[in-house]
Amino acid sequence: MGVFLGLEIEYNSSLFKSSTIERLFNHYQVLLKNIVSDIKRPIGAISIVTESEKHTLLEEFNSTKVPYPKGKTLVDLFSAQVLETPDSIAVVYSDESLSYLELDKRSNQLAHYLREQGVKPDDLIGLCLRRGLDMVVGILGILKSGGAYVPIDPDYPQDRIDYIVEDTGIELLLTSGEGCFVKEGVSLLDLDSDRELLSSYSSGDLERVLKPDHLAYVIYTSGSTGKPKGVMVEHKNIIKLVKNEPNIAICNEDKVLQWSNYAFDGFIYEFFGSLLNGAQLYLIDKHVSHNAEELKDFLNKKEITVCFLTTALFNNIIDTNPKGFPSIKKMLFGGEAASVARVLNGKSHINKGQLFNIYGPTETVVYATTYEIINQELKNIPIGKPLNDTLTYVTNSYMSLQPIGVVGELCIGGAGVARGYLNKKELTKEKFIANPFKNEGRLYRTGDLVKWLPDGNIEFIGRKDNQVKIRGYRVELGEIEEALSKAPLVEKCCVIAKEDDLGNKYLVGYIVLKGDFNKNSIENYLKLTLPEYMIPRFWTKLDSLPINSNGKFDRKALYNLEYNHLPLKEYVAPRNEIEKQLCDIWQELLGIDRIGIHDNFFELGGHSLMVSRLVTTINDKLNANINIATIFKEPLISELAKNCNTFSGFKEDIIIPLNETNNSKTIYLAPPVSGTINCYTELAKTVGKDHSLYAFQCPGLSGISSTVKSVEELASVFITEMQKIDSKGPYSIGGYSFGGIVAYEMALQLNDRGYIVEELIFFDSLPLFTINRKLNRDKIFKNIVKNGIEDLLEKSFDWSILSIENRSEKEQIDIIFDYIKDQGFNIKKPDLIAFLEVNINNELAAYNYQPKTHAKLNTVIVLFKAMLNSNKLEVNDLEISKILEKHEYGWSHYTNKKIVVHEVNSNHNNILEKQNIKEISKEIMNRKLMSNDA
């Protein structure tokens, strides 16, 4: 009897299936045989996969070949769709839309222009514009010309824009309506202002010059070197996705949501999936795309049938208001690991629609795998099986196949694999490799760690590059997160490795909980499945995990958070009341005990889904008028505070949207003597959805542009800006105090040009041009400064404390500036000078103004009259008192129509403050078209 080796396996049947143990046994047998066959081979290079399992992994799990239009280009397929459904709606944005034929013709005109400029296949053309019909026309026009488009988000930092322009070498950039600053040598084509030029070109079809392997676009993604890298995608890569996958296919009866930023690869499925299949594509504004409530309303109102959302936004919608998506047929989510509870909850509210978890890197064109949520007994949410004509392999570092259930790197092949990285040959060579399992094609090495499940689905584990060493032990952070996510009360989690001053690494856990945090409870739970060295040393409880501009979880933002919730920056306490209130608001919203004025909202865990709540709270509590863009531009309390007071927001913009709605009723408001729009903040918040509200700022507040020194010129400037929004009218114009005089002059000028002004709305505005004027600049200067300082510091002010008599105006400003700074208010001297100059010029303009015509207007005047008037205007008091004695202030002399007077229990200075605004807004909202008052 010969020598032999026996092996007996004992296992706990409550923890392992017999099939799992049998696989382990077979793997061990193969390992032993391969070791003996080549004893010099590295252990990692030795395969443990059986021949039977190899067939399963290579053939059964990757049986994805199907026919699709491989020989076509995107232009071919769009042209065919135009012929099939020329009159069907192709794209909708706000109240605008284009049919397939209209879109075809407009994009053909652009393509003819580009072809004339010498554009040929694989030439790169930049796009830097916001969502809208021009974006759609721009993309199709570039493709039809033979070129490939490079999407650039206008909100990118200038350095990133410059880098993309330089890296791509683009010589032509398409914009629309707003500038995109680029280096010299790059030509700009504005699809809005150059519309007349483009309309002179033929709308007919162009000669076809494209092939399926020509470039369609280059999209930039984050790079490990600190610079973004451009992914080159060909026509055939996209067609494989949108014409080849029945599970997530789009048909001509669908209404598709265009949620994704066009510089994000999720856009490709929405855009081309819709337009190459005859569906309707619905574009949404950026602010709606990240507001869970508004987005859900949009989905239901427009009866959207197909949409993609990042997992983070999907979770937010489910958490805030999961009820009902009656029109949805297919909802896709992805981008990060999904919560089983939320996914199952979401599935229950989609009625008969399908819910898919999707996965795919930019380098394999949007989606590579998909998993439909059907099973209600899920313990984890797989990323699914490969799409048609997609190959997926799980490999070790030696590119050997990993068997079922063993973690390895996911490598993806098939028709969706991109050409590579632009101008990065070495990185392309490293990440895009020849397929070792077939005689043709390439693979993309994703760096994602996954494992096969026995049914052919793939389960996502984490990132390959999140591997760290703790006290000499190799630790996969994804493994800790997987265990932590299953702990009681844990909704979301992340684990990162930090380093102390001595260079020792330690683990920090960040968690979002349904209840209170109990450190011992969570650590004891983890010890059930993890060794001691894998238990995080420190913990931080967050309201939510940070999210980047693409709506994905932003792991990097956590490195700026300390385990004890304190920011890494040195704490600096608030210096004034505004900064104190902002600190309180941030602390409450972020769940952090102490926040300083130099802490960054986003570094503390804030994200785009939280910004809308922050803006609402600040505006409500501080009577401010900031918007979402303000938070992104000024994420520090010290900077944000400057935008929450009377002297704030000095921009070059003349007209500011305070409240935009789809309602046809729009009111335009001229500013008071200060030239700013702050006084209309409360009104904007209360008119709600009934009116759109725009306000004008005076030129010169920024200190850059020159000030305007007459009412007539100011009115003309405001009319020019207003007619960029509404070129035809009829108009409703108004203003507070001095703003009423400007609004009146605007009405005169508009009437003279043949436009209709339906109503003038005056908030305690007096026709000061009826009185005698004895003006003194020095007196006006002191009056404006005194009133401004009192309003700013909310306390009385005595000139005598500054000792500025017999000093020049410049010397007085220097003393005033120092006084304001000493009182804890942060303002730059140029801003103060500009503010005072605008005030003085407006005050002088008010009393120098004489209407050029005395013809009466055919306009209704609505006057909100302060009944407790203690007017601060330092002019002839007797003349003022005569005006105030008149019930309608004498405005009846200037119109043939009715004067509607609403008496307000206020004085002149507080008529638009919170305690009075409800009464005023009610009267405005109750009014129909003013012609009824004639």
Side-chain angles (χ1 to χ4, degrees), residues 857-916:
L857 294 168
N858 291 312
T859 300
V860 173
I861 294 179
V862 182
L863 173 64
F864 291 94
K865 180 179 179 180
M867 298 306 295
L868 306 177
N869 233 319
S870 57
N871 206 301
K872 289 185 178 181
L873 294 172
E874 296 290 340
V875 292
N876 192 313
D877 291 337
L878 180 61
E879 295 287 343
I880 289 288
S881 64
K882 288 181 180 179
I883 296 176
L884 295 176
E885 287 173 358
K886 299 176 182 179
H887 177 63
E888 28 68 313
Y889 290 165
W891 283 112
S892 58
H893 297 293
Y894 304 98
T895 182
N896 291 318
K897 291 199 173 182
K898 185 177 181 180
I899 303 285
V900 181
V901 179
H902 296 290
E903 297 179 343
V904 182
N905 189 33
S906 72
N907 62 40
H908 177 79
N909 297 297
N910 67 15
I911 189 170
L912 288 175
E913 290 182 5
K914 195 168 187 176
Q915 65 268 26
N916 306 313

Side-chain angles (χ1 to χ4, degrees), residues 580-721:
K580 182 180 182 301
Q581 291 184 65
L582 287 173
C583 285
D584 291 342
I585 291 170
W586 283 28
Q587 286 167 185
E588 181 180 353
L589 192 60
L590 293 167
I592 298 176
D593 294 333
R594 189 175 73 162
I595 292 177
I597 62 171
H598 297 315
D599 292 323
N600 187 303
F601 177 74
F602 299 102
E603 291 177 357
L604 292 175
H607 53 72
S608 56
L609 301 180
M610 195 184 290
V611 169
S612 58
R613 277 188 286 161
L614 178 64
V615 168
T616 300
T617 305
I618 290 175
N619 286 340
D620 286 344
K621 292 189 177 183
L622 274 66
N623 193 26
N625 184 38
I626 66 169
N627 54 37
I628 289 176
T630 306
I631 303 297
F632 284 98
K633 292 178 181 177
E634 308 290 358
L636 309 183
I637 286 176
S638 58
E639 296 295 326
L640 183 59
K642 299 174 187 177
N643 287 295
C644 297
N645 55 66
T646 305
F647 290 107
S648 66
F650 296 165
K651 301 176 181 178
E652 285 297 284
D653 297 340
I654 300 299
I655 190 167
I656 308 296
L658 299 182
N659 187 55
E660 293 181 289
T661 72
N662 292 325
N663 196 301
S664 60
K665 186 68 173 179
T666 301
I667 300 174
Y668 300 88
L669 299 174
V673 166
S674 68
T676 62
I677 64 174
N678 303 58
C679 61
Y680 301 124
T681 299
E682 288 299 324
L683 181 63
K685 290 191 288 189
T686 53
V687 293
K689 299 180 179 179
D690 296 283
H691 296 78
S692 289
L693 202 64
Y694 291 83
F696 302 100
Q697 290 190 133
C698 286
L701 283 171
S702 64
I704 300 174
S705 60
S706 58
T707 57
V708 174
K709 297 184 178 181
S710 73
V711 170
E712 294 90 340
E713 185 182 357
L714 203 55
S716 177
V717 170
F718 290 169
I719 288 172
T720 299
E721 294 300 315

Side-chain angles (χ1 to χ4, degrees), residues 124-194:
L124 300 181
I125 308 297
L127 275 176
C128 188
L129 34 72
R130 302 197 182 278
R131 303 176 193 225
L133 301 185
D134 283 341
M135 176 192 74
V136 180
V137 172
I139 291 173
L140 290 175
I142 291 171
L143 293 174
K144 288 181 176 183
S145 74
Y149 71 94
V150 181
I152 303 174
D153 190 335
D155 292 330
Y156 277 164
Q158 189 61 44
D159 285 350
R160 190 178 184 91
I161 293 176
D162 292 342
Y163 175 80
I164 293 174
V165 170
E166 181 178 352
D167 191 49
T168 55
I170 59 176
E171 298 178 353
L172 177 62
L173 183 72
L174 308 189
T175 65
S176 179
E178 62 178 75
C180 186
F181 297 101
V182 293
K183 66 177 183 178
E184 292 184 8
V186 178
S187 301
L188 296 180
L189 176 69
D190 191 312
L191 299 184
D192 183 27
S193 62
D194 292 328

Side-chain angles (χ1 to χ4, degrees), residues 491-518:
E491 290 190 321
K492 299 178 183 177
C493 66
C494 179
V495 177
I496 65 174
K498 289 194 172 186
E499 195 171 277
D500 62 22
D501 294 338
L502 298 176
N504 300 313
K505 285 190 170 66
Y506 60 91
L507 298 175
V508 183
Y510 296 87
I511 49 177
V512 178
L513 295 172
K514 298 177 183 177
D516 294 330
F517 174 61
N518 186 313

